[in-house]
């Protein structure tokens, strides 16, 4: 009953033993995790609460989170992975640069209580002021662009074309990032605020612009040209299309830029000629109605 009323206390429970004595019981308690304050232990009962706790940890760039799962809640590894996927796709968290996560702990099946310690690592240890700058600058640029680029009655195809052209015209692929990892070029901030990014920056920025315009859009991760790569899948007119802004914005050998439409609203089969990805990670795009040449 104690742990059901105060489940976070289970995080510190190491066990107990008792011995009968003439006047009653002599109980000996042992404890674990004694170096962690109780204020840093969260008790959660569903996916939404776990997502909120982990989201707060990410937002404050914490390296860990201590969680007790109350009786009846036992998320699978797949459920935890889905929570992190949703978090890293969230507008307010994509700039955090989560690199990986691990979690371990223990459970007591008798009481149906378990606790986990999450370990969070990041691409780079930017300070809080820098992170706030990235977030606020991204939000400001997104609000301004959504007001100036799109009209309320504009067809979705035109919204996608305008966003594509804006990013290709205003961004330059950061060739230096191939040798020096700079996280700001891997998020929408690089594309929307600095005009310099790599594939992930193009894809994240395009997704945010499409969402601001009311168009469904996702990012797709795979390989292209022998390297890890990211691009988009956008829904227009009830049909899905593949789009790769990075490869529509090549840097030529002489340093000049081109704007192409070779990868604008193409089918999965067309993209698969030089891109590879897990089929389950994106819709199968077969429509050709809104291909640029069409």
């Amino acid at each position: 009953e104690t742990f059901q009323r105060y489940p976070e206390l289970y995080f510190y429970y190491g066990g107990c033993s008792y011995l009968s004595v003439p006047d009653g019981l002599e109980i000996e308690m042992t404890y674990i995790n004694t170096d962690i304050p109780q204020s840093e232990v969260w008790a959660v009962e569903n996916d939404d609460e776990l997502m909120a706790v982990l989201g707060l940890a990410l937002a404050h760039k914490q390296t860990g989170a201590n969680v007790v799962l109350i009786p009846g809640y036992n998320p699978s590894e797949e459920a935890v992975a889905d929570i992190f996927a949703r978090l890293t796709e969230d507008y307010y968290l994509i700039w955090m640069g989560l690199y990986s996560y691990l979690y371990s702990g223990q459970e007591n099946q008798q009481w149906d209580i378990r606790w986990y310690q999450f370990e969070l690592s990041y691409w780079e240890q930017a300070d809080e002021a820098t992170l706030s700058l990235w977030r606020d600058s991204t939000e400001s640029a997104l609000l301004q662009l959504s007001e100036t680029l799109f009209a309320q009655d504009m067809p979705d195809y035109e919204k996608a074309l305008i966003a594509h052209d804006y990013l290709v015209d205003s961004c330059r692929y950061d060739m230096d990032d191939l040798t020096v990892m700079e996280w700001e070029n891997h998020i929408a901030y690089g594309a929307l605020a600095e005009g310099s990014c790599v594939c992930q920056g193009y894809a994240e920025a395009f997704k945010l612009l499409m969402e601001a315009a009311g168009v469904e859009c996702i990012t797709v991760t795979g390989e292209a040209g022998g390297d890890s790569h990211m691009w988009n899948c956008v829904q227009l007119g009830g049909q899905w299309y593949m789009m790769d802004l990075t490869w529509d914005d090549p840097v030529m050998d002489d340093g000049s830029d081109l704007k192409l439409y070779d990868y604008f609203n193409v089918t999965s089969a067309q993209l698969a000629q030089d891109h590879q990805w897990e089929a389950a990670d994106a819709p199968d795009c077969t429509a050709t109605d809104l291909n640029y040449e069409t």
Side-chain angles (χ1 to χ4, degrees):
E1 291 185 5
T2 298
F3 294 128
Q4 291 178 352
R5 293 179 62 186
Y6 308 102
E8 64 275 8
L9 296 182
Y10 178 60
F11 186 76
Y12 302 101
Y13 178 68
C16 71
S17 61
Y18 63 91
L19 179 66
S20 296
V21 295
D23 295 331
L25 295 176
E26 184 177 286
I27 301 175
E28 182 178 354
M29 305 288 294
T30 59
Y31 301 92
I32 56 177
N33 300 323
T34 55
D35 58 329
I36 299 176
Q38 189 170 337
S39 59
E40 296 180 10
V41 179
W42 298 87
V44 301
E45 61 179 346
N46 53 50
D47 287 353
D48 289 338
E49 290 187 1
L50 179 58
M51 184 173 178
V53 168
L54 295 174
L56 284 174
L58 289 173
H60 293 288
K61 210 69 181 289
Q62 295 174 356
T63 58
N66 307 305
V67 178
V68 176
L69 310 181
I70 70 171
Y73 178 50
N74 182 19
S76 64
E77 291 186 16
E78 292 77 11
V80 175
D82 180 65
I83 288 173
F84 274 100
R86 290 160 59 194
L87 284 169
T88 54
E89 291 173 359
D90 185 271
Y91 165 66
Y92 289 99
L93 294 173
I94 58 175
W95 48 270
M96 291 304 306
L98 177 69
Y99 177 72
S100 65
Y101 70 90
L102 297 171
Y103 65 98
S104 61
Q106 69 180 33
E107 65 178 37
N108 187 305
Q109 295 182 350
Q110 178 183 356
W111 300 321
D112 191 25
I113 295 180
R114 54 198 55 82
W115 62 261
Y116 295 118
Q117 287 183 296
F118 287 85
E119 297 179 25
L120 310 172
S121 60
Y122 303 86
W123 280 103
E124 69 173 38
Q125 296 299 322
D127 58 36
E128 186 174 353
T130 300
L131 295 172
S132 297
L133 172 66
W134 290 351
R135 181 193 61 198
D136 295 344
S137 298
T138 301
E139 184 176 41
S140 177
L142 182 63
L143 290 174
Q144 180 180 1
L145 289 171
S146 63
E147 292 176 355
T148 57
L149 292 179
F150 310 121
Q152 188 171 6
D153 57 350
M154 182 179 290
D156 288 349
Y157 171 86
E158 190 172 351
K159 294 175 182 177
L161 179 61
I162 287 177
H164 170 280
D165 287 358
Y166 172 79
L167 290 171
V168 170
D169 288 337
S170 64
C171 295
R172 182 177 178 84
Y173 191 91
D174 185 4
M175 300 299 293
D176 293 337
D177 197 87
L178 297 177
T179 56
V180 179
M181 175 66 177
E182 294 182 354
W183 177 246
E184 60 263 37
N185 290 330
H186 290 251
I187 55 177
Y189 168 80
L192 297 177
E194 296 292 335
S196 176
C197 60
V198 294
C199 61
Q200 189 173 355
Y202 280 98
E204 296 286 7
F206 182 75
K207 179 176 181 288
L208 289 181
L209 285 173
M210 287 293 90
E211 290 177 346
V215 178
E216 188 170 359
C217 181
I218 64 173
T219 58
V220 183
T221 302
E223 293 186 358
D227 297 316
S228 297
H229 192 50
M230 181 179 285
W231 59 93
N232 296 99
C233 193
V234 60
Q235 188 179 56
L236 304 171
Q239 296 176 311
W240 285 95
Y241 297 85
M242 291 287 187
M243 187 180 305
D244 189 342
L245 279 76
T246 305
W247 281 36
D248 273 350
D249 190 17
V251 178
M252 309 306 291
D253 292 338
D254 61 2
S256 61
D257 279 326
L258 291 179
K259 179 168 61 180
L260 305 176
Y261 298 93
D262 296 348
Y263 296 90
F264 181 87
N265 287 0
V266 297
T267 66
S268 297
Q270 288 173 307
L271 197 71
Q273 295 178 18
D274 44 32
H275 290 54
Q276 299 81 43
W277 66 96
E278 293 291 335
D281 293 343
D284 185 22
C285 305
T286 59
T288 59
D289 300 349
L290 299 181
N291 176 267
Y292 183 77
E293 293 184 0
T294 304

